[in-house]
Amino acid sequence: MKAVVFALRSFGRELRSGEVVVLLAAVGLAVGALTAVGFLTDRIGKAVARQANEVLAADLRLRSQEPVPSEWSELAAEYGLDTAETLAFPSVVFAGDASALSTIKVVSEQYPLRGAVRVADQMFGEQREVDGIPEPGEVWADGTLLARVGADVGDMLSVGEIDLRVSAVLTYRPDQSIGFASLAPSLLMNIGDIERSGLIGEGSRVSYALLVAGDAQAVTDFNDAIESELPDSVRIRSQEESSERAYNAADRAQRFLSLTAIISLLLSAVAVAMSARRFAHKRMDTVALMKSLGATQRFVIAVALVQLVLLGIIGVLIGSIVGYAAEEILSRILADLFAGELPNPGLRPVVLASGSAMVLLLGFALPSLIQLRNTPPLRVLRHDAMPPAPSRLLVVGLSLAAVAALLYRSVGDARMLLVLIGGILVIAAALYLVGRALVAVIGRFRSGVGVAWRYGLANVARRGRDSAVQVVAFGLGLTVLLLLTLVRTDLLEGWRQTLDADAPNHFLINVQPHELESVGALFENNGIPAPDFTPLVRARMTLINGESVKDREYPNEDGRWLANREANLSWTAEMSSSNELLAGEWWPADYDGPPLVSIEEDAAENAGLSIGDTLSYFVAGRDIEAEIASIRKINWDSFQPNFFFVLSPGALDGMPTTYISGLKIEDEQKSMLIDLVRAHPSISVIDLGAILQQVRGIIEKASVAVQAVFVFTLAAGIAVLFAAVQSTIDERRFESAMLRALGARRRTVFSGVMAEFAALGMAAGILAAAGASILAYVVAVQLFKLPYEFSPLLWVVGLTAGVFVVCISGFFAARGAVNSAPVDVLRGTAG
């Protein structure tokens, strides 16, 4: 209790000391950066996830072959969730004597809960978003459907027993499928018209769905509450299961944001460690005096710990306020980019930032505090009397482990944590070794240069271990700054380029073999190159290595679903450009041997398949057995026609075959699609423009968010540089005073200090460029699956930035030491 009272009484005086201000600023900046990054990451992550949920038109979808019980909606309402009902079934639509098969989509008033329906005033015309659904007595029809029956906007369509007016052309609905099985064009209908249409009766094949949306936690709670009560026939789909392309883009966006959050924390750790080291060092004289007056080691440590915790609390409060205010400003700016208000953030960023800062503060300051208890009372008379240095490895290691655990709970990406923390530790070790080597080399080569350089290089050599530690701090700060400036831009650009500007925006499906020539000619007559057609055969897998697919054990349910569903098979002589061979060999172009099959990597993993396994398919009354010859990785972002299973040429000869094609059609060329579907009514045209726009939107918005978050990470990096300079500020102040007292000019002393920083910055810059290059390659290839090319510019910028940034940081931090009056320093009244 005495220690607590003494710590509180002396705390006000301690706050006025320079090193405490530096430590408080480091903690406050760490918490501010982490809080801002955490809040922004949390809110933008929710917004991106909400946008990705557009592919379900909801956050959660419950689908059944039976009518949706009212109890489901009532339970959702109890959790404060919005709901909408949909029905989907095939039916023939008539316009006079013309008819066509259509997918009737019947929706209730609140549809869609996520995303927006888009319509046009004419077929393949300009799209616009609409708020609401067709009025009773009206429908919105797909342009392909209207072309098939020769109708247009304003005409009447017979749907079951009623006639409904076409009030708009349906161009996009959020939950529309782009799969190859979606052959029938859509017609959107108000649920109020379904009963009098007479379309649903006993034995009708209807897919019912309840759409649910609202607060993420409420959706999770509702899911947990209803999941155990649902019959096996009901399937729940969430964002992760909806659109692989949109979800992959959203997931990658979240990982980019998480990357900045992790790096901010690691930089904060370095800043706090450097500041805490000086904090403890400055306490040594006070501790020596206390011990000479009878204070025990326990009392000394208790006082220091209480003051450290108080500093942490103040830093957490200041940082949280600053971080929240900064995030609020940024979120208002970014809200326009997300076409609406960002979701409210949770409290987890505050808890994570506060917990991490306190763990960092105690963990990295504790070794120095432990050293305080061994401070000899003799230091009152001899300031060179130092306590033995403790082993920092255990305490700092435990601190890093605790912070890693906190980050894992927040980010949930163990691989990213391992890569970044491991990479930072390796770079830090390399920097320290280079720093020690630099000290040894400079000690030999400092002769033959000017006075300022001789003084600066002598300082580097004389400080020895401290110079090496500064190289580590400067190098880590520069490494991260380079990683998040030049490399960040490269990573984001690489991500954008995964979605080719010439990616197909339309699919042609169900093209019959006899239509290939005439369809190609139609495109060429309209000035569009004839598309490449890919064959498609519907089949069902029956055996794997002679064992029934129904009885076989699978690594997971996705594998069982893949093996037991109806499969889309194709064959080709050459592997698609959007595919990459991971294992095995591709068959020769002139291969005419037994059937071989190439399988996609995730499908192989989920189904437990490997090269050499045999797959048996039942196709049109025939059994076909094929051996797995290779495993492929598919770039689904290419939007090219791709298949889980691709067979060798000749394997499917004589089987019922249709063709598909992906192609890009400009807006001014879309009118020819009307001629296409009228000339070939069996062909379905699927517009991928909305899906492409969604994925591109996620990429662009996430890129802007990363740029905004970078501001806080940049501040943390500057704090590291400033703390590194401050760690030796007392020595510099004393040295400057002595030199000036002996007649040296202030300009000469200051030039020597700048020469020292230039030498340290040069070494740190070179190592930072190397570290940033290697770490960027690992991050790009291993974490984000993106291409990365080493840039010579990074080395030029690294070396230049090392000298310039470190010298600038040193100038602002050290000028006070050089400008201090020598008499004040020698009397002990300065600083």
Side-chain angles (χ1 to χ4, degrees):
M1 182 59 69
K2 291 182 179 180
V4 174
V5 173
F6 180 83
L8 292 175
R9 285 179 177 176
S10 60
F11 186 65
R13 182 175 66 254
E14 298 287 354
L15 282 177
R16 292 191 293 271
S17 61
E19 71 280 356
V20 173
V21 172
V22 172
L23 181 59
L24 188 61
V27 174
L29 181 59
V31 176
L34 283 174
T35 303
V37 169
F39 272 134
L40 198 60
T41 300
D42 189 33
R43 298 182 76 175
I44 291 177
K46 289 178 179 178
V48 169
R50 184 175 64 184
Q51 185 178 8
N53 284 353
E54 290 184 13
V55 295
L56 288 179
D59 295 333
L60 202 69
R61 184 175 74 187
L62 286 73
R63 189 171 63 182
S64 172
Q65 299 304 315
E66 302 293 333
V68 175
S70 59
E71 291 80 3
W72 296 4
S73 300
E74 293 169 0
L75 179 61
E78 293 179 8
Y79 285 91
L81 300 172
D82 296 325
T83 59
E85 294 184 33
T86 69
L87 296 78
F89 54 89
S91 181
V92 175
V93 174
F94 291 87
D97 295 331
S99 64
L101 181 65
S102 174
T103 297
I104 309 296
K105 185 75 172 183
V106 183
V107 296
S108 63
E109 193 65 38
Q110 287 189 296
Y111 174 90
L113 299 179
R114 292 284 184 254
V117 176
R118 298 190 185 115
V119 299
D121 295 326
Q122 58 184 6
M123 286 188 288
F124 302 105
E126 185 176 351
Q127 304 180 50
R128 71 176 191 279
E129 289 188 358
V130 291
D131 184 14
I133 62 174
E135 296 291 333
E138 298 180 355
V139 291
W140 296 339
D142 188 292
T144 302
L145 175 64
L146 295 177
R148 288 182 180 178
V149 297
D152 208 335
V153 175
D155 293 344
M156 303 297 291
L157 296 180
S158 296
V159 184
E161 299 176 2
I162 59 175
D163 292 333
L164 302 172
R165 187 177 69 88
V166 179
S167 56
V169 178
L170 178 65
T171 60
Y172 170 76
R173 56 182 174 84
D175 54 347
Q176 72 184 27
S177 170
I178 62 170
F180 298 146
S182 305
L183 303 183
S186 297
L187 183 143
L188 198 66
M189 176 178 173
N190 192 302
I191 199 170
D193 291 326
I194 190 63
E195 184 175 349
R196 61 192 186 95
S197 71
L199 288 170
I200 299 179
E202 191 72 26
S204 298
R205 295 184 58 187
V206 181
S207 176
Y208 298 86
L210 175 68
L211 307 183
V212 179
D215 178 74
Q217 187 58 50
V219 172
T220 301
D221 294 340
F222 169 75
N223 185 29
D224 294 340
I226 201 172
E227 192 169 19
S228 60
E229 302 178 6
L230 297 177
D232 294 337
S233 59
V234 177
R235 184 180 180 188
I236 300 179
R237 296 190 71 191
S238 60
Q239 166 198 350
E240 292 85 349
E241 301 173 275
S242 49
S243 168
E244 183 169 8
R245 296 171 179 88
Y247 180 71
N248 284 345
D251 178 65
R252 191 173 281 172
Q254 186 67 51
R255 297 186 79 186
F256 267 115
L257 292 169
S258 298
L259 174 68
T260 59
I262 294 172
I263 290 178
S264 294
L265 182 61
L266 294 177
L267 277 176
S268 300
V270 178
V272 170
M274 298 295 296
S275 301
R277 182 168 173 261
R278 182 168 183 255
F279 169 80
H281 183 76
K282 289 286 288 186
R283 303 273 78 72
M284 286 183 183
D285 290 340
T286 303
V287 169
L289 180 61
M290 292 168 60
K291 293 184 73 173
S292 67
L293 296 175
T296 63
Q297 289 186 350
R298 182 177 180 182
F299 182 84
V300 169
I301 293 298
V303 170
L305 280 175
V306 170
Q307 292 183 347
L308 198 65
V309 170
L310 288 174
L311 281 173
I313 293 174
I314 294 175
V316 165
L317 291 175
I318 295 175
S320 297
I321 294 172
V322 172
Y324 181 80
E327 181 277 335
E328 188 67 23
I329 295 172
L330 273 174
S331 65
R332 291 180 183 276
I333 297 173
L334 292 176
D336 292 338
L337 296 171
F338 282 87
E341 186 177 353
L342 288 170
N344 292 324
L347 291 177
R348 188 171 66 175
V350 176
V351 176
L352 173 67
S354 303
S356 298
M358 295 303 293
V359 169
L360 287 176
L361 187 60
L362 293 175
F364 287 99
L366 202 55
S368 298
L369 291 179
I370 292 174
Q371 187 181 17
L372 282 179
R373 68 176 185 170
N374 297 321
T375 302
L378 183 62
R379 185 176 172 85
V380 174
L381 302 176
R382 289 183 54 190
H383 290 288
D384 59 343
M386 296 290 291
S391 172
R392 302 168 182 259
L393 184 60
L394 178 61
V395 178
V396 174
L398 291 175
S399 179
L400 281 175
V403 172
L406 286 170
L407 275 174
Y408 178 73
R409 182 170 181 80
S410 173
V411 177
D413 194 332
R415 190 177 184 186
M416 180 183 289
L417 285 174
L418 182 63
V419 167
L420 288 177
I421 294 178
I424 292 294
L425 290 176
V426 170
I427 293 171
L431 286 166
Y432 184 78
L433 293 176
V434 169
R436 297 297 285 183
L438 178 69
V439 170
V441 171
I442 283 179
R444 299 178 182 179
F445 293 98
R446 66 175 182 264
S447 60
V449 293
V451 174
W453 275 99
R454 190 182 309 131
Y455 168 58
L457 297 180
N459 282 344
V460 174
R462 184 176 64 255
R463 298 189 205 285
R465 181 172 172 272
D466 286 341
S467 293
V469 170
Q470 284 188 309
V471 170
V472 172
F474 290 143
L476 287 179
L478 290 169
T479 296
V480 174
L481 292 179
L482 289 174
L483 184 66
L484 291 180
T485 49
L486 297 181
V487 177
R488 179 193 80 249
T489 304
D490 291 342
L491 286 176
L492 293 176
E493 186 59 32
W495 186 21
R496 292 188 184 100
Q497 288 177 358
T498 60
L499 199 60
D500 190 352
D502 294 325
N505 59 4
H506 286 79
F507 269 142
L508 303 183
I509 296 178
N510 202 33
V511 182
Q512 300 300 316
H514 67 273
E515 296 177 308
L516 295 177
E517 185 176 346
S518 59
V519 170
L522 183 61
F523 277 97
E524 291 178 345
N525 292 337
N526 283 272
I528 303 174
D532 295 325
F533 293 97
T534 303
L536 183 151
V537 173
R538 305 286 288 176
R540 186 169 292 276
M541 192 185 300
T542 56
L543 302 173
I544 297 178
N545 293 329
E547 182 181 3
S548 172
V549 294
K550 298 184 181 297
D551 301 332
R552 190 172 185 269
E553 294 293 329
Y554 298 91
N556 53 55
E557 284 303 312
D558 287 339
R560 179 177 298 278
W561 173 81
L562 180 75
N564 285 272
R565 75 183 183 107
E566 192 172 19
N568 296 309
L569 304 181
S570 186
W571 72 86
T572 182
E574 297 182 358
M575 186 170 60
S576 169
S577 60
S578 59
N579 289 210
E580 177 186 349
L581 198 65
L582 298 181
E585 295 182 358
W586 192 261
W587 43 79
D590 57 351
Y591 180 80
D592 60 355
L596 299 175
V597 61
S598 178
I599 183 171
E600 190 267 344
E601 59 173 336
D602 289 333
E605 181 180 352
N606 293 333
L609 300 174
S610 58
I611 294 175
D613 290 343
T614 58
L615 307 179
S616 297
Y617 291 96
F618 184 75
V619 188
R622 288 174 49 189
D623 292 315
I624 295 176
E625 183 178 272
E627 179 182 331
I628 297 178
S630 63
I631 296 176
R632 294 166 293 122
K633 175 183 177 180
I634 297 177
N635 175 20
W636 297 106
D637 290 339
S638 68
F639 281 79
Q640 298 286 347
N642 278 300
F643 299 84
F644 289 113
F645 303 96
V646 175
L647 280 77
S648 56
L652 298 174
D653 284 353
M655 301 298 174
T657 303
T658 59
Y659 289 83
I660 64 172
S661 180
L663 68 160
K664 183 176 182 179
I665 300 177
E666 303 296 342
D667 291 342
E668 62 272 13
Q669 300 171 325
K670 286 186 177 180
S671 58
M672 63 85 54
L673 296 176
I674 300 175
D675 299 332
L676 174 67
V677 294
R678 284 177 174 168
H680 303 277
S682 64
I683 296 177
S684 289
V685 179
I686 298 180
D687 188 350
L688 302 181
I691 303 297
L692 280 165
Q693 182 179 351
Q694 182 187 50
V695 175
R696 286 196 178 102
I698 291 174
I699 292 175
E700 291 304 320
K701 291 165 186 174
S703 298
V704 173
V706 171
Q707 306 287 355
V709 169
F710 168 67
V711 173
F712 300 99
T713 310
L714 178 64
I718 293 173
V720 170
L721 301 176
F722 188 81
V725 173
Q726 285 289 317
S727 65
T728 57
I729 200 69
D730 296 322
E731 297 177 38
R732 300 182 191 283
R733 183 179 290 114
F734 182 77
E735 291 169 357
S736 298
M738 290 294 296
L739 289 170
R740 291 181 63 191
L742 294 173
R745 292 184 301 174
R746 183 170 57 183
R747 179 178 179 181
T748 302
V749 175
F750 195 79
S751 298
V753 173
M754 289 296 100
E756 178 185 354
F757 284 129
L760 295 175
M762 186 180 301
I766 293 174
L767 265 293
S773 297
I774 296 172
L775 194 56
Y777 175 79
V778 175
V779 167
V781 176
Q782 297 298 324
L783 297 183
F784 293 98
K785 310 297 183 184
L786 295 174
Y788 180 76
E789 295 182 1
F790 290 98
S791 172
L793 180 64
L794 188 64
W795 291 81
V796 176
V797 174
L799 179 60
T800 305
V803 175
F804 180 76
V805 174
V806 172
C807 285
I808 290 295
S809 302
F811 172 79
F812 286 107
R815 64 177 179 172
V818 177
N819 291 332
S820 297
V823 65
D824 293 336
V825 176
L826 296 177
R827 285 176 177 176
T829 59

Short mmCIF file of all heavy atoms in Angstrom, two decimals, residues 72-101:
data_model
loop_
_atom_site.label_atom_id
_atom_site.label_comp_id
_atom_site.label_asym_id
_atom_site.label_seq_id
_atom_site.Cartn_x
_atom_site.Cartn_y
_atom_site.Cartn_z
N TRP A 72 -41.07 -19.79 -38.63
CA TRP A 72 -39.69 -19.37 -38.95
C TRP A 72 -39.60 -17.85 -38.98
O TRP A 72 -38.67 -17.26 -38.42
CB TRP A 72 -39.27 -19.94 -40.29
CG TRP A 72 -39.19 -21.44 -40.33
CD1 TRP A 72 -39.53 -22.31 -39.34
CD2 TRP A 72 -38.77 -22.23 -41.44
NE1 TRP A 72 -39.34 -23.61 -39.76
CE2 TRP A 72 -38.86 -23.59 -41.04
CE3 TRP A 72 -38.31 -21.95 -42.72
CZ2 TRP A 72 -38.53 -24.64 -41.88
CZ3 TRP A 72 -37.96 -22.99 -43.56
CH2 TRP A 72 -38.07 -24.32 -43.15
N SER A 73 -40.54 -17.21 -39.65
CA SER A 73 -40.55 -15.75 -39.72
C SER A 73 -40.78 -15.13 -38.35
O SER A 73 -40.17 -14.11 -38.00
CB SER A 73 -41.63 -15.27 -40.69
OG SER A 73 -41.41 -15.78 -41.98
N GLU A 74 -41.66 -15.74 -37.57
CA GLU A 74 -41.93 -15.22 -36.23
C GLU A 74 -40.70 -15.31 -35.34
O GLU A 74 -40.40 -14.38 -34.56
CB GLU A 74 -43.10 -15.99 -35.60
CG GLU A 74 -44.43 -15.74 -36.32
CD GLU A 74 -45.52 -16.70 -35.86
OE1 GLU A 74 -45.23 -17.54 -34.97
OE2 GLU A 74 -46.65 -16.60 -36.37
N LEU A 75 -39.95 -16.41 -35.45
CA LEU A 75 -38.72 -16.55 -34.66
C LEU A 75 -37.69 -15.52 -35.09
O LEU A 75 -37.01 -14.92 -34.26
CB LEU A 75 -38.16 -17.97 -34.81
CG LEU A 75 -36.85 -18.26 -34.06
CD1 LEU A 75 -37.05 -18.09 -32.55
CD2 LEU A 75 -36.35 -19.67 -34.37
N ALA A 76 -37.58 -15.30 -36.40
CA ALA A 76 -36.65 -14.29 -36.89
C ALA A 76 -37.02 -12.91 -36.37
O ALA A 76 -36.14 -12.11 -36.00
CB ALA A 76 -36.62 -14.30 -38.41
N ALA A 77 -38.31 -12.61 -36.31
CA ALA A 77 -38.77 -11.32 -35.80
C ALA A 77 -38.39 -11.14 -34.34
O ALA A 77 -38.08 -10.03 -33.89
CB ALA A 77 -40.27 -11.18 -35.99
N GLU A 78 -38.40 -12.23 -33.57
CA GLU A 78 -38.01 -12.16 -32.16
C GLU A 78 -36.55 -11.75 -32.01
O GLU A 78 -36.18 -11.16 -31.00
CB GLU A 78 -38.24 -13.51 -31.48
CG GLU A 78 -39.71 -13.89 -31.37
CD GLU A 78 -39.89 -15.26 -30.71
OE1 GLU A 78 -38.87 -15.81 -30.22
OE2 GLU A 78 -41.02 -15.77 -30.71
N TYR A 79 -35.73 -12.06 -33.00
CA TYR A 79 -34.32 -11.67 -32.97
C TYR A 79 -34.10 -10.31 -33.64
O TYR A 79 -32.95 -9.90 -33.85
CB TYR A 79 -33.46 -12.73 -33.66
CG TYR A 79 -33.27 -13.98 -32.84
CD1 TYR A 79 -34.14 -15.05 -32.95
CD2 TYR A 79 -32.20 -14.07 -31.94
CE1 TYR A 79 -33.96 -16.20 -32.19
CE2 TYR A 79 -32.01 -15.21 -31.17
CZ TYR A 79 -32.89 -16.28 -31.30
OH TYR A 79 -32.71 -17.40 -30.55
N GLY A 80 -35.18 -9.62 -33.99
CA GLY A 80 -35.06 -8.31 -34.61
C GLY A 80 -34.60 -8.36 -36.05
O GLY A 80 -33.97 -7.41 -36.54
N LEU A 81 -34.88 -9.44 -36.77
CA LEU A 81 -34.40 -9.62 -38.14
C LEU A 81 -35.51 -9.35 -39.15
O LEU A 81 -36.69 -9.57 -38.88
CB LEU A 81 -33.88 -11.05 -38.32
CG LEU A 81 -32.72 -11.47 -37.41
CD1 LEU A 81 -32.42 -12.95 -37.56
CD2 LEU A 81 -31.48 -10.63 -37.72
N ASP A 82 -35.10 -8.87 -40.32
CA ASP A 82 -36.04 -8.69 -41.44
C ASP A 82 -36.14 -10.00 -42.22
O ASP A 82 -35.17 -10.76 -42.33
CB ASP A 82 -35.55 -7.58 -42.37
CG ASP A 82 -35.51 -6.23 -41.69
OD1 ASP A 82 -36.39 -5.98 -40.85
OD2 ASP A 82 -34.59 -5.44 -41.98
N THR A 83 -37.31 -10.24 -42.78
CA THR A 83 -37.52 -11.47 -43.55
C THR A 83 -38.26 -11.16 -44.85
O THR A 83 -38.95 -10.16 -44.97
CB THR A 83 -38.32 -12.51 -42.76
OG1 THR A 83 -39.61 -11.96 -42.41
CG2 THR A 83 -37.59 -12.93 -41.50
N ALA A 84 -38.08 -12.05 -45.80
CA ALA A 84 -38.82 -12.01 -47.07
C ALA A 84 -38.97 -13.45 -47.54
O ALA A 84 -38.14 -14.31 -47.23
CB ALA A 84 -38.10 -11.17 -48.10
N GLU A 85 -40.05 -13.71 -48.28
CA GLU A 85 -40.30 -15.05 -48.80
C GLU A 85 -40.15 -15.05 -50.32
O GLU A 85 -40.49 -14.07 -50.99
CB GLU A 85 -41.70 -15.53 -48.41
CG GLU A 85 -41.88 -15.75 -46.92
CD GLU A 85 -43.25 -16.33 -46.60
OE1 GLU A 85 -43.78 -17.11 -47.43
OE2 GLU A 85 -43.80 -15.98 -45.54
N THR A 86 -39.64 -16.18 -50.84
CA THR A 86 -39.55 -16.34 -52.28
C THR A 86 -40.00 -17.74 -52.66
O THR A 86 -39.91 -18.68 -51.87
CB THR A 86 -38.12 -16.12 -52.80
OG1 THR A 86 -37.28 -17.19 -52.35
CG2 THR A 86 -37.55 -14.80 -52.33
N LEU A 87 -40.51 -17.88 -53.88
CA LEU A 87 -40.84 -19.16 -54.47
C LEU A 87 -40.21 -19.19 -55.86
O LEU A 87 -40.18 -18.16 -56.55
CB LEU A 87 -42.35 -19.36 -54.61
CG LEU A 87 -43.24 -19.43 -53.35
CD1 LEU A 87 -43.49 -18.04 -52.79
CD2 LEU A 87 -44.57 -20.11 -53.69
N ALA A 88 -39.74 -20.33 -56.27
CA ALA A 88 -39.14 -20.45 -57.61
C ALA A 88 -39.56 -21.79 -58.21
O ALA A 88 -39.53 -22.82 -57.53
CB ALA A 88 -37.63 -20.35 -57.53
N PHE A 89 -39.97 -21.74 -59.47
CA PHE A 89 -40.39 -22.96 -60.16
C PHE A 89 -40.39 -22.69 -61.66
O PHE A 89 -40.52 -21.54 -62.10
CB PHE A 89 -41.78 -23.41 -59.70
CG PHE A 89 -42.84 -22.35 -59.82
CD1 PHE A 89 -43.57 -22.19 -60.99
CD2 PHE A 89 -43.09 -21.48 -58.76
CE1 PHE A 89 -44.54 -21.22 -61.11
CE2 PHE A 89 -44.05 -20.50 -58.88
CZ PHE A 89 -44.78 -20.36 -60.04
N PRO A 90 -40.25 -23.73 -62.47
CA PRO A 90 -40.31 -23.55 -63.93
C PRO A 90 -41.75 -23.56 -64.41
O PRO A 90 -42.59 -24.29 -63.88
CB PRO A 90 -39.53 -24.76 -64.45
CG PRO A 90 -39.74 -25.82 -63.41
CD PRO A 90 -39.85 -25.11 -62.09
N SER A 91 -42.02 -22.77 -65.41
CA SER A 91 -43.36 -22.75 -66.01
C SER A 91 -43.28 -22.15 -67.40
O SER A 91 -42.40 -21.33 -67.68
CB SER A 91 -44.32 -21.93 -65.14
OG SER A 91 -45.61 -21.93 -65.73
N VAL A 92 -44.20 -22.55 -68.25
CA VAL A 92 -44.26 -22.01 -69.61
C VAL A 92 -45.04 -20.70 -69.59
O VAL A 92 -46.12 -20.61 -69.01
CB VAL A 92 -44.91 -23.01 -70.58
CG1 VAL A 92 -45.07 -22.39 -71.97
CG2 VAL A 92 -44.10 -24.29 -70.65
N VAL A 93 -44.47 -19.68 -70.24
CA VAL A 93 -45.09 -18.36 -70.34
C VAL A 93 -45.54 -18.15 -71.79
O VAL A 93 -44.80 -18.49 -72.72
CB VAL A 93 -44.09 -17.27 -69.90
CG1 VAL A 93 -44.67 -15.88 -70.15
CG2 VAL A 93 -43.73 -17.43 -68.44
N PHE A 94 -46.77 -17.58 -71.95
CA PHE A 94 -47.32 -17.39 -73.29
C PHE A 94 -47.46 -15.90 -73.61
O PHE A 94 -47.76 -15.08 -72.73
CB PHE A 94 -48.69 -18.03 -73.41
CG PHE A 94 -48.67 -19.53 -73.36
CD1 PHE A 94 -48.70 -20.20 -72.14
CD2 PHE A 94 -48.60 -20.28 -74.53
CE1 PHE A 94 -48.68 -21.58 -72.09
CE2 PHE A 94 -48.58 -21.66 -74.48
CZ PHE A 94 -48.61 -22.32 -73.27
N ALA A 95 -47.19 -15.55 -74.86
CA ALA A 95 -47.49 -14.23 -75.39
C ALA A 95 -48.20 -14.47 -76.71
O ALA A 95 -47.56 -14.69 -77.75
CB ALA A 95 -46.24 -13.40 -75.58
N GLY A 96 -49.55 -14.45 -76.68
CA GLY A 96 -50.30 -14.86 -77.86
C GLY A 96 -50.09 -16.34 -78.11
O GLY A 96 -50.29 -17.17 -77.22
N ASP A 97 -49.68 -16.68 -79.34
CA ASP A 97 -49.44 -18.09 -79.67
C ASP A 97 -48.01 -18.54 -79.33
O ASP A 97 -47.71 -19.73 -79.37
CB ASP A 97 -49.69 -18.31 -81.17
CG ASP A 97 -51.15 -18.09 -81.54
OD1 ASP A 97 -52.01 -18.32 -80.65
OD2 ASP A 97 -51.42 -17.69 -82.69
N ALA A 98 -47.11 -17.59 -79.04
CA ALA A 98 -45.71 -17.94 -78.73
C ALA A 98 -45.58 -18.32 -77.26
O ALA A 98 -46.31 -17.82 -76.39
CB ALA A 98 -44.80 -16.76 -79.04
N SER A 99 -44.67 -19.22 -77.00
CA SER A 99 -44.46 -19.66 -75.61
C SER A 99 -42.99 -19.95 -75.39
O SER A 99 -42.23 -20.19 -76.33
CB SER A 99 -45.29 -20.91 -75.31
OG SER A 99 -44.85 -22.00 -76.12
N ALA A 100 -42.59 -19.93 -74.10
CA ALA A 100 -41.19 -20.23 -73.73
C ALA A 100 -41.16 -20.66 -72.28
O ALA A 100 -41.97 -20.21 -71.46
CB ALA A 100 -40.28 -19.02 -73.94
N LEU A 101 -40.22 -21.54 -71.98
CA LEU A 101 -40.03 -21.98 -70.60
C LEU A 101 -39.32 -20.88 -69.82
O LEU A 101 -38.37 -20.28 -70.30
CB LEU A 101 -39.20 -23.26 -70.55
CG LEU A 101 -38.92 -23.84 -69.15
CD1 LEU A 101 -40.22 -24.30 -68.51
CD2 LEU A 101 -37.92 -24.98 -69.24
#
